[in-house]
């Protein structure tokens, strides 16, 4: 019996010695992680802390304190590592790391502030990614990134605005209208209205070139309704001329010069309006516009002749 107790005691001493050795190694790893943190090497620090956690868990009650310390710091280091990736524009790995950070913190049941910060960073990463792709004119990639932001936060006005811009450039009018209109409701009214006006202006330009004059006028009017746009009214006037609708053309041209009275071609427009008004039998309007250009080098002589012919006052 005495021999049995001696063997048991030796076994216990051996086990205690093994635990003590494991704890020493676990502590050494933990300290290595702390040193790596001081130098800003988050990746190395994380590896040390994870090794310390595994060893500490194997030590049972002896390692409980160390385990708790590791569980507290590991999610924080994971978050810092993800932030390093974001700074390096390594967005794909940063997104994976952030989700792993959230999962780890929730599994450990601590660090709710880490979960909150990591969750906030995810849409920010997609936003940064979208901005970079938009600048690089990778519109398909930007659309994908901004859609990720909107999926996480449907009230993000900036993401909706830029998503609408990317759709607009790629010619997806319905999608552009939908997102720009949504952006207007979420704090981006000024910019969204401007983008919508530009979108309809581009459509008007394309339609005029394709000789789709009715569609050109429709788009130009929508552009001007969103935001006063002289170019839109000029296009509408040209399209109305092509459709042989002088009264409409006069109206659009007059809006053009009202919005942009110092335009380089303003005298050309005055002459066009005068001729159209004269052809329509509107003497007063014709006289008024001929008189505006009576002293012009190009149109002056013709204008003066017409003023005489019409008997303008």
């Amino acid at each position: 019996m005495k021999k049995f107790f001696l063997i048991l005691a030796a076994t216990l001493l051996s086990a205690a010695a093994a635990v003590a050795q494991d704890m020493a190694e676990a502590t050494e790893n933990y300290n290595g992680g702390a040193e790596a943190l001081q130098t800003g090497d988050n990746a190395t620090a994380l590896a040390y802390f994870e090794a310390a956690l595994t060893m500490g868990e194997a030590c049972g009650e002896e390692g409980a304190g160390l385990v708790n310390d590791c569980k507290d710091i590991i999610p924080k280091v994971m978050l810092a590592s993800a932030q390093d990736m974001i700074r390096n524009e390594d967005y794909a790995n940063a997104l994976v790391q952030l989700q792993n950070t959230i999962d780890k913190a929730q599994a450990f049941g601590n660090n709710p502030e880490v979960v909150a910060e990591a969750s906030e960073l995810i849409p920010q990463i997609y936003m940064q990614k979208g901005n970079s792709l938009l600048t690089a004119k990778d519109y398909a990639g930007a659309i994908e990134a901004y859609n990720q932001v909107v999926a996480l936060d449907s009230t993000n006005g900036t993401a909706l605005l830029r998503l609408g811009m990317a759709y607009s450039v790629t010619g997806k009018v319905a999608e552009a209208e939908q997102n720009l209109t949504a952006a207007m409701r979420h704090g981006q009214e000024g910019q969204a209205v401007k983008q919508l006006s530009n979108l309809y202006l581009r459509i008007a330009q394309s339609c005029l070139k394709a000789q789709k004059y009715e569609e050109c006028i429709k788009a130009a009017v929508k552009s001007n309704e969103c935001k006063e746009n002289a170019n839109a009214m000029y296009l509408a006037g040209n399209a109305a001329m092509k459709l042989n609708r002088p009264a409409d053309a006069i109206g659009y041209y007059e809006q053009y010069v009202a919005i942009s009275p110092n335009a380089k071609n303003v005298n050309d427009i005055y002459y066009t309006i005068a001729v159209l008004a004269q052809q329509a039998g509107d003497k007063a309007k014709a006289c008024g516009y001929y008189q505006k250009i009576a002293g012009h080098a190009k149109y002056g002589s013709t204008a003066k002749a017409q003023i005489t012919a019409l008997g303008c006052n």
Side-chain angles (χ1 to χ4, degrees), residues 153-198:
D153 179 9
S154 61
T155 67
N156 190 317
T158 302
L160 288 163
L161 173 67
R162 293 177 184 172
L163 182 56
M165 290 167 60
Y167 275 129
S168 176
V169 173
T170 57
K172 296 184 177 180
V173 176
E175 291 87 345
E177 288 177 323
Q178 177 183 343
N179 286 283
L180 291 172
T181 301
M184 291 171 62
R185 297 195 300 269
H186 297 293
Q188 295 292 330
E189 182 174 1
Q191 283 298 316
V193 166
K194 180 180 178 180
Q195 290 299 323
L196 278 169
S197 180
N198 290 338

Side-chain angles (χ1 to χ4, degrees), residues 19-32:
V19 169
Q21 184 177 351
D22 288 345
M23 274 300 300
E25 190 173 351
T27 301
E28 185 178 346
N29 275 290
Y30 186 90
N31 291 336

Side-chain angles (χ1 to χ4, degrees), residues 285-296:
K285 187 180 289 288
C287 287
Y289 279 97
Y290 279 131
Q291 287 166 346
K292 286 178 180 291
I293 53 175
H296 190 263

Side-chain angles (χ1 to χ4, degrees), residues 37-311:
L37 275 185
Q38 291 178 355
T39 64
D41 188 350
N42 294 314
T44 299
L46 182 59
Y48 272 124
F49 288 131
E50 288 178 334
L53 173 63
T54 300
M55 293 176 183
E57 289 175 333
C59 294
E61 291 184 6
E62 293 292 330
L66 181 65
V67 167
N68 287 335
D69 289 341
C70 288
K71 286 185 175 181
D72 178 67
I73 200 166
I74 283 174
K76 295 174 183 175
V77 179
M78 291 178 72
L79 177 60
S81 179
Q83 290 169 329
D84 289 341
M85 295 172 187
I86 295 170
R87 281 188 286 273
N88 293 326
E89 297 187 6
D90 185 3
Y91 299 127
N93 286 321
L95 288 166
V96 172
Q97 182 75 339
L98 285 172
Q99 190 57 57
N100 288 341
T101 299
I102 294 169
D103 294 342
K104 186 71 73 176
Q106 290 176 336
F108 288 164
N110 61 6
N111 284 306
E113 70 282 359
V114 170
V115 173
E117 187 172 352
S119 299
E120 290 175 2
L121 280 173
I122 289 174
Q124 291 178 27
I125 290 176
Y126 282 121
M127 193 71 185
Q128 286 183 231
K129 182 179 179 181
N131 293 344
S132 296
L133 292 169
L134 189 64
T135 300
K137 298 184 179 180
D138 182 352
Y139 300 116
I143 286 170
E144 182 179 355
Y146 290 134
N147 268 318
Q148 292 283 1
V149 179
V150 173
L152 293 167
D153 179 9
S154 61
T155 67
N156 190 317
T158 302
L160 288 163
L161 173 67
R162 293 177 184 172
L163 182 56
M165 290 167 60
Y167 275 129
S168 176
V169 173
T170 57
K172 296 184 177 180
V173 176
E175 291 87 345
E177 288 177 323
Q178 177 183 343
N179 286 283
L180 291 172
T181 301
M184 291 171 62
R185 297 195 300 269
H186 297 293
Q188 295 292 330
E189 182 174 1
Q191 283 298 316
V193 166
K194 180 180 178 180
Q195 290 299 323
L196 278 169
S197 180
N198 290 338
L199 168 64
Y200 296 132
L201 179 63
R202 285 196 294 273
I203 293 171
Q205 290 169 332
S206 176
C207 288
L208 184 64
K209 186 176 181 180
Q211 299 182 1
K212 298 178 180 179
Y213 302 123
E214 290 288 1
E215 291 89 337
C216 172
I217 291 172
K218 182 179 179 182
V221 169
K222 289 178 73 173
S223 175
N224 194 62
E225 286 175 347
C226 289
K227 186 177 184 349
E228 271 195 340
N229 192 314
N231 289 333
M233 292 297 91
Y234 180 69
L235 293 173
N238 290 347
M241 287 275 286
K242 293 291 185 180
L243 291 170
N244 195 29
R245 299 204 314 240
D248 289 343
I250 288 172
Y252 294 134
Y253 285 141
E254 286 186 325
Q255 288 185 67
Y256 169 71
V257 296
I259 298 168
S260 185
N262 297 316
K264 290 181 179 180
N265 66 340
V266 68
N267 289 298
D268 299 326
I269 299 301
Y270 287 157
Y271 178 74
T272 300
I273 294 174
V275 171
L276 291 173
Q278 185 177 3
Q279 290 173 350
D282 189 342
K283 176 182 173 181
K285 187 180 289 288
C287 287
Y289 279 97
Y290 279 131
Q291 287 166 346
K292 286 178 180 291
I293 53 175
H296 190 263
K298 179 179 179 181
Y299 298 113
S301 59
T302 301
K304 289 175 183 177
Q306 294 303 319
I307 289 170
T308 300
L310 290 168

